[in-house]
Structures are given as structure tokens and as C-alpha cells.
Amino acid sequence: MRLFDSHLHIEEPCFEKDLGEVLNRAKEAHVKFMVTSPTQSSLWHKALKIVKDNPNFVFLSLGLQPGE
């Protein structure tokens, strides 16, 4: 089975300490692709770094909440 996580916020501060573990657990659970969607423009650069560090696994969808 190939799983695709279509919506996550892995750039949020709560993932900083164990980001590698989170990504490894996802791979162990047969997740093949992920799309992270930062909700604040201040997190875009952090999300982009995660995508660059995890090519062909984490992808990026940029957008803004209506209030931003």
C-alpha cells in the first residue's frame, strides 16, 4: 500500500526537536509522500528547508489563512 499525507504542518515549532523521528515513523508506516502547508508566511522558509532536506518525500503547498 502507498500512502500519501496530503495535509500537514511539519514546519510548526512542536516538531523541531524530533522532526527526523517523525519523518522516519511516517516512512515506516508506508507513507510515500507528504505535503506540508504552512499557515503563516513566517514559516515558509522553514518549510522550504524541510522540503529541500527531504526530496521526493516532503512537498510544499504555500498559502495563507484569510486573516494573514
Side-chain angles (χ1 to χ4, degrees):
M1 179 183 319
R2 294 177 57 143
L3 300 175
F4 175 63
D5 189 338
S6 63
H7 187 110
L8 55 119
H9 304 282
I10 203 136
E11 66 286 332
E12 292 288 332
C14 62
F15 291 106
E16 284 180 6
K17 290 183 182 179
D18 63 348
L19 178 61
E21 292 176 34
V22 170
L23 295 174
N24 284 335
R25 285 195 306 265
K27 291 175 184 177
E28 288 171 3
H30 304 287
V31 173
K32 299 298 180 190
F33 309 99
M34 305 173 124
V35 175
T36 193
S37 304
T39 59
Q40 301 171 28
S41 58
S42 61
L43 296 173
W44 288 358
H45 283 67
K46 189 174 180 181
L48 187 56
K49 180 176 179 354
I50 293 169
V51 169
K52 286 181 177 181
D53 290 346
N54 297 278
N56 302 313
F57 183 59
V58 181
F59 295 85
L60 181 60
S61 170
L62 291 179
L64 289 174
Q65 294 287 3
E68 179 142 338

